[in-house]
Amino acid sequence: FKVTTGSPGSDVAAEVAAAMASGSLVLQRWGDESTFPENLKKRAELLFNFANENRRHYHLSVPAVTKHYKSSGYKDELTWAAGWLYRATNDKAYLNKVTYLLHLSHLI
């Protein structure tokens, strides 16, 4: 199954964005001098933006996954992804997004 603007899954897309952002950091720190770490980071940013702009639970867009994956929310995944993107990019906009999402979740 895939997520699209017509059938989004913010929880799943944000988790993948977090993995991609953290993966780009690992590759950079291991000395990967190819363009792959930078491409991974840029795609993580695109995926995060998609997840943030098209908010919906994956299991609502793709009911077939409900038996295996039923998310209770997506703000935690968006927060997680924004945190990793802040670490990967040093862009304070992601740090501000973390703070905003934590506030919405009443975690701070």
Side-chain angles (χ1 to χ4, degrees):
F1 301 106
K2 65 180 179 177
V3 293
T4 65
T5 54
S7 184
S10 296
D11 38 4
V12 171
E15 280 292 351
V16 173
M20 292 168 76
S22 63
S24 75
L25 282 170
V26 169
L27 292 171
Q28 286 174 342
R29 290 194 177 145
W30 280 357
D32 186 332
E33 296 179 13
S34 73
T35 59
F36 186 67
E38 187 64 27
N39 289 338
L40 198 56
K41 180 173 52 176
K42 288 179 191 268
R43 292 194 183 258
E45 290 184 277
L46 291 170
L47 193 52
F48 173 81
N49 290 334
F50 166 82
N52 191 43
E53 292 168 6
N54 300 282
R55 293 186 178 188
R56 189 168 187 195
H57 294 94
Y58 181 54
H59 71 274
L60 296 177
S61 291
V62 184
V65 303
T66 302
K67 180 173 140 182
H68 305 288
Y69 179 83
K70 186 175 181 183
S71 178
S72 61
Y74 49 75
K75 289 180 189 148
D76 53 339
E77 285 90 353
L78 288 170
T79 305
W80 182 244
W84 277 111
L85 280 163
Y86 172 64
R87 293 284 312 262
T89 65
N90 290 317
D91 183 343
K92 291 203 185 223
Y94 291 114
L95 182 59
N96 293 337
K97 183 62 75 176
V98 168
T99 304
Y100 174 75
L101 288 163
L102 287 173
H103 181 72
L104 283 181
S105 299
H106 306 294
L107 296 174
I108 60 171

